[in-house]
Amino acid sequence: EPVDPANQEAMMVGETMDLKHVRRSYSSEIGLRAGVHSNSLLEALAEVPRERFLKPGPWMIAGSSSGTPAQHQFTPDDDPIHVYQDVSVALDVTRNLYNGAPSILVAWINALDLHEGDRVFHLGGARGYYTAIIAKVVGPLGHIAMVEIDKELGCFAQQALQDWPSVEVVVGDGTSFDPGPCDAMLVNAGVTHPHPAWLNRLNDDGRLLLPLT
């Protein structure tokens, strides 16, 4: 028997009220979009609270990663379920700062093939959401050195990531920071070439991902 659309919508609304369920669905969706092959990365997506690294809601969101022009709109309210979608969430529109579309950033993290205990250098971690995901993947035996040049973003990240003891947040210029020996590096910042100091700090089987601008 056909389901009444109104009843179906009501059931969907009831399901989405469980934030844990929403986060699991979000993890599955982003995992499929980004081609994630790591169970630990999928777990991190389901467990790290994205809303913790955003400004208070309601949130301004900007389209999806589908390539269509971004249309900015506000979420209906400050319920965190709204940010568990493949959307960029505005941090400061006037400065063009966003918590980027998860399917893009997660695809980059996935490409690094992180393992438990890895040492990671994350340049340009902004407010720290994707740094927290990396920390969850490498676990308490790993270490993440995150550098953010923007003082406002970096200071926020220091507070937001204080529950992740494996994360070191540095506010400053990443080209003058020595991360120590690293298994992986994610340069999520506007640079045109890898700095020689970064390359010298990569272990023999180290991986560096540098989205060129």
Side-chain angles (χ1 to χ4, degrees):
E1 184 175 338
V3 177
D4 186 306
N7 291 338
Q8 185 177 39
E9 182 178 356
M11 287 188 291
M12 291 176 64
V13 170
E15 289 178 356
T16 57
M17 295 309 292
D18 182 348
L19 188 55
K20 289 185 178 180
H21 175 78
V22 171
R23 286 175 176 159
R24 287 285 167 189
S25 298
Y26 164 79
S27 173
S28 297
E29 177 191 357
I30 302 304
L32 289 172
R33 287 176 178 262
V36 172
H37 53 72
S38 164
N39 287 332
S40 58
L41 180 49
L42 292 174
E43 284 297 312
L45 278 169
E47 295 179 11
V48 175
R50 189 181 191 189
E51 67 276 10
R52 176 172 179 168
F53 299 90
L54 305 173
K55 291 190 173 183
W59 298 276
M60 179 182 286
I61 60 174
S64 69
S65 60
S66 62
T68 55
Q71 298 294 321
H72 290 75
Q73 59 182 345
F74 279 96
T75 59
D77 50 49
D78 61 356
D79 190 328
I81 64 172
H82 301 304
V83 299
Y84 289 97
Q85 305 178 60
D86 190 21
V87 293
S88 294
V89 181
L91 301 177
D92 188 338
V93 176
T94 62
R95 295 195 292 155
N96 198 33
L97 295 176
Y98 294 85
N99 178 264
S103 63
I104 297 175
L105 276 296
V106 170
W108 294 349
I109 296 172
N110 184 60
L112 290 174
D113 192 25
L114 299 175
H115 300 91
E116 186 174 359
D118 275 354
R119 294 182 61 88
V120 184
F121 175 44
H122 185 193
L123 177 64
R127 282 187 159 218
Y129 173 58
Y130 293 104
T131 306
I133 288 176
I134 292 172
K136 188 73 176 176
V137 173
V138 303
L141 297 180
H143 179 265
I144 302 90
M146 173 198 146
V147 180
E148 173 54 55
I149 196 169
D150 185 280
K151 185 175 181 180
E152 180 183 341
L153 296 177
C155 289
F156 181 94
Q158 287 177 329
Q159 293 297 316
L161 291 166
Q162 61 184 351
D163 292 339
W164 278 265
S166 61
V167 179
E168 170 191 7
V169 179
V170 176
V171 181
D173 184 353
T175 61
S176 60
F177 173 74
D178 182 1
C182 292
D183 300 295
M185 297 181 176
L186 173 58
V187 182
N188 186 196
V191 299
T192 57
H193 59 279
H195 196 278
W198 305 337
L199 298 177
N200 290 336
R201 281 306 198 175
L202 272 178
N203 293 332
D204 289 342
D205 60 347
R207 292 86 63 198
L208 181 146
L209 194 143
L210 185 80
L212 295 175
T213 58

